[in-house]
Amino acid sequence: MNTPTPSTAPRHRLRFYRAVWRWHFYAGLLVLPVIAWLALTGAAYLYKTPLDRAFHHRLKVVDIGRERLRPQQLLEAASRAQPGQVFRYTTPATDDASVEVAVMTPDARHEVVYVDPYTGAVLGQLPDRGTLAGVIRRLHSLDLFGPIASGVIELAAGWAILLVLTGVYLWWPRARVAHPAQVPAGQLGRGDLGGVLWVRGRPPQRLFWRDLHAVTGVLVGGVLLFLALTGMPWSVLWGAKVNQWVNGHDFGYPRGVRVEVPMSTQRLGQTTTPAWSLRQAQLPASTLPDPHAGHAGHDMRGMADIQGQAHDAMGLNAAIARFDALGVAPGYSVSLPRGAHGVYTASVYPSDLHAQRVVHLDQYSGQVLLDVGYDAYGPAGRALEWGINVHLGQEYGTANQLVLLLACAGIVLLCVSGAVMWWKRRPQRGLGVPPMPVERGTLRVIFGLLLIGGLLFPLVGASLLLIAALDRWWLGDNARATQ
C-alpha cells in the first residue's frame, strides 16, 4: 500500500515510525482480547464487597443482636455442620456480617461455613473462594483455566506495556510521519490536533476509528501502563522471583520478621492469604511448654476436641481476645495452629494500607512472636503494596474505584476501536501486518529496545524472540508479498 508522506518528514523517521507501528500491531494482535477480558473482570471486582453482600445476602448479612457468642462456640457449630479440619476463622468486618469458618473436609475439599455470630445458626456454606467476587477474581487472574493460563497474565502485562509505549510514540504530535491509515498530508499539519486531542470523521469512516483509538489510548494509556506494572506481582515467573527477592531483605520484607525466635518450615501463604510481599514469609514456631509446669489461666477449651491439638493450648477464645486487645482491625482472619509447633496467625488487609497487619501468637503462652504492619515494610515492600492496593481500587476509596472503572471502560473501547480499525483496513489475504522496514539498522534499533524490556521481564522476552523469529522468517515474507 502506498502511503502519502509529508515532505518535511525525514526518511529515517518514517522507517522508524513504520517499525514501531509494526510492533504495536503485533502487541495488539496478541493481547487486545486478553486486555479486554481483564478490564471487564477487573471492573466487576472493584465492587467485590457490595457484590458479595448482595448476591450472597443470606450467607453474608445477619441481623444485629445484643452480644456475640464466643468464637469457640461458633467454630463448633460450623464443625457440626461440616465435619473436617478447621484451618481458618474470619471475624466479622461489620456488626451485620457473619463469621466465616474455613474447613478442609475429609475428602480434601476446602469449604467455608457461614455462621450468625449472635445466634450461632449455620447460614450455609460455599467452596473456599466460591463467592461471586471469588469467582470474578479467579476469572480475572485466569486461575480457573489452570497454571499455564497464569503465564498468560504475565505475557499480557508485558505486551500491554509494549502496546502503551509504542502507542504513545505513534500518537505523539509531530510534523506527521505518515501512517498507512492517515488522511492526505495536507489535512493534518503542525497546528491541527485532530486525532490527537479530538476525534474526526464519522463512525462509517476508518478515520473516525483511528482517531477514537488514538485519543482513547492517550487518555487511558497511563492507567493501563500502571495496571500492567502493578499486576506483574501476581505473575507466574516474574512475580514469584520478585517475591523471593523482596522477602528476606530489609528493603522489602518487614524488618521485624527476621527476629530471634524459633522458625518453622511453614510459609504464611500456606495458611492464609497475606499481602503479596509476605507470601514467602516463614511462620515462627510455638515453644512446647514444660510438661511439669502449670498453665493456669489458659482457655482449656481450645482445639483439643475438634482439632486434635494439645490440651494446654490457649484456645481460639483466648487467641481472639488477645488479637482484639492488640487492636487488629475488624474482619481479620485467624489461621489456626498446625501441629504442636504451630501458631495462631491473625492477618487483615483493609482498604487502609496502614491498617494492614500480621500477628503471630505462641499457641501455648499467647506471647506475640511477630507483629508486622505496613509501616514496618521496607521501601520496596511499601511501594509494591501501595501499587497493589491502588490496582484493587482500595487505596483512595470511591475516587479510586471510579477512576479505574472509567479506565476499564476506556480500555475496552480501545480494544474495540483497534479491532474495528484493523477490520476496515485488512487486506483480502493475510493479516494486514504493517510493512517491514528493509534497512537492517532500523530493525536493530527497534529490536535492541525490545530486548531491554525482555531482560526486565524474561517470559515476555522469550515471547519477543519468538515473534521476532516469526516476523523475520515467515510473517516478513508474507508482508512483503502483499505490499
Side-chain angles (χ1 to χ4, degrees), residues 124-183:
Q125 66 186 71
L126 289 172
D128 194 19
R129 299 193 302 168
T131 64
L132 177 61
V135 172
I136 291 172
R137 179 164 186 166
R138 294 171 68 195
L139 288 170
H140 182 71
S141 64
L142 303 184
D143 281 349
L144 284 176
F145 306 104
I148 295 178
S150 299
V152 175
I153 294 292
E154 184 166 348
L155 290 172
W159 281 90
I161 294 170
L162 174 62
L163 194 66
V164 172
L165 296 180
T166 54
V168 168
Y169 177 83
L170 297 175
W171 165 87
W172 191 261
R174 58 174 67 86
R176 286 288 177 127
V177 175
H179 187 292
Q182 210 168 328
V183 293

Side-chain angles (χ1 to χ4, degrees), residues 85-227:
Q85 182 79 17
V86 176
F87 63 90
R88 189 177 66 240
Y89 179 99
T90 302
T91 62
T94 58
D95 290 339
D96 65 345
S98 58
V99 163
E100 301 177 14
V101 181
V103 181
M104 185 173 70
T105 67
D107 57 352
R109 290 180 296 108
H110 287 183
E111 295 283 322
V112 175
V113 181
Y114 297 85
V115 185
D116 188 318
Y118 301 101
T119 67
V122 174
L123 306 174
Q125 66 186 71
L126 289 172
D128 194 19
R129 299 193 302 168
T131 64
L132 177 61
V135 172
I136 291 172
R137 179 164 186 166
R138 294 171 68 195
L139 288 170
H140 182 71
S141 64
L142 303 184
D143 281 349
L144 284 176
F145 306 104
I148 295 178
S150 299
V152 175
I153 294 292
E154 184 166 348
L155 290 172
W159 281 90
I161 294 170
L162 174 62
L163 194 66
V164 172
L165 296 180
T166 54
V168 168
Y169 177 83
L170 297 175
W171 165 87
W172 191 261
R174 58 174 67 86
R176 286 288 177 127
V177 175
H179 187 292
Q182 210 168 328
V183 293
Q187 188 171 332
L188 185 62
R190 292 179 181 272
D192 188 351
L193 294 179
V196 176
L197 297 181
W198 56 78
V199 179
R200 302 163 298 175
R202 294 178 299 174
Q205 299 174 307
R206 182 173 175 269
L207 173 64
F208 171 86
W209 292 99
R210 182 260 170 212
D211 284 6
L212 181 64
H213 185 77
V215 174
T216 303
V218 77
L219 290 175
V220 303
V223 181
L224 176 56
L225 183 63
F226 173 82
L227 292 175

Side-chain angles (χ1 to χ4, degrees), residues 88-439:
R88 189 177 66 240
Y89 179 99
T90 302
T91 62
T94 58
D95 290 339
D96 65 345
S98 58
V99 163
E100 301 177 14
V101 181
V103 181
M104 185 173 70
T105 67
D107 57 352
R109 290 180 296 108
H110 287 183
E111 295 283 322
V112 175
V113 181
Y114 297 85
V115 185
D116 188 318
Y118 301 101
T119 67
V122 174
L123 306 174
Q125 66 186 71
L126 289 172
D128 194 19
R129 299 193 302 168
T131 64
L132 177 61
V135 172
I136 291 172
R137 179 164 186 166
R138 294 171 68 195
L139 288 170
H140 182 71
S141 64
L142 303 184
D143 281 349
L144 284 176
F145 306 104
I148 295 178
S150 299
V152 175
I153 294 292
E154 184 166 348
L155 290 172
W159 281 90
I161 294 170
L162 174 62
L163 194 66
V164 172
L165 296 180
T166 54
V168 168
Y169 177 83
L170 297 175
W171 165 87
W172 191 261
R174 58 174 67 86
R176 286 288 177 127
V177 175
H179 187 292
Q182 210 168 328
V183 293
Q187 188 171 332
L188 185 62
R190 292 179 181 272
D192 188 351
L193 294 179
V196 176
L197 297 181
W198 56 78
V199 179
R200 302 163 298 175
R202 294 178 299 174
Q205 299 174 307
R206 182 173 175 269
L207 173 64
F208 171 86
W209 292 99
R210 182 260 170 212
D211 284 6
L212 181 64
H213 185 77
V215 174
T216 303
V218 77
L219 290 175
V220 303
V223 181
L224 176 56
L225 183 63
F226 173 82
L227 292 175
L229 289 170
T230 54
M232 274 291 188
W234 286 291
S235 61
V236 64
L237 177 63
W238 189 90
K241 293 300 180 183
V242 171
N243 195 336
Q244 293 175 6
W245 174 65
V246 297
N247 280 281
H249 297 85
D250 286 343
F251 59 79
Y253 203 82
R255 295 178 182 274
V257 169
R258 301 298 176 184
V259 295
E260 294 183 1
V261 295
M263 301 299 288
S264 72
T265 58
Q266 295 180 33
R267 301 282 180 177
L268 185 57
Q270 295 173 336
T271 58
T272 186
T273 306
W276 173 84
S277 61
L278 291 176
R279 287 183 181 178
Q280 298 296 325
Q282 284 182 283
L283 294 179
S286 294
T287 302
L288 288 170
D290 184 345
H292 301 293
H295 294 279
H298 285 185
D299 182 353
M300 300 301 291
R301 294 173 299 167
M303 308 309 300
D305 295 334
I306 297 176
Q307 302 303 112
Q309 296 178 4
H311 280 272
D312 51 4
M314 67 187 300
L316 183 62
N317 292 339
I320 287 186
R322 185 81 169 105
F323 291 132
D324 288 341
L326 290 170
V328 182
Y332 62 86
S333 294
V334 179
S335 297
L336 276 59
R338 297 172 62 185
H341 294 281
V343 296
Y344 285 102
T345 299
S347 57
V348 65
Y349 304 95
S351 298
D352 181 6
L353 277 174
H354 295 279
Q356 285 190 6
R357 201 164 171 191
V358 175
V359 182
H360 303 295
L361 298 181
D362 186 296
Q363 67 167 301
Y364 305 105
S365 67
Q367 177 186 355
V368 176
L369 302 178
L370 208 67
D371 188 347
V372 180
Y374 176 79
D375 294 335
Y377 297 3
R382 288 198 298 270
L384 287 166
E385 289 302 322
W386 176 85
I388 289 172
N389 222 38
V390 176
H391 184 109
L392 293 173
Q394 298 179 169
E395 181 61 14
Y396 302 110
T398 302
N400 196 164
Q401 291 175 320
L402 288 177
V403 168
L404 291 184
L405 183 64
L406 291 173
C408 287
I411 290 169
V412 173
L413 179 59
L414 190 67
C415 296
V416 170
S417 59
V420 172
M421 185 171 60
W422 168 79
W423 182 261
K424 285 182 172 293
R425 69 168 290 274
R426 76 194 189 285
Q428 291 183 351
R429 300 176 61 185
L431 288 175
V433 180
M436 174 187 287
V438 295
E439 297 80 1

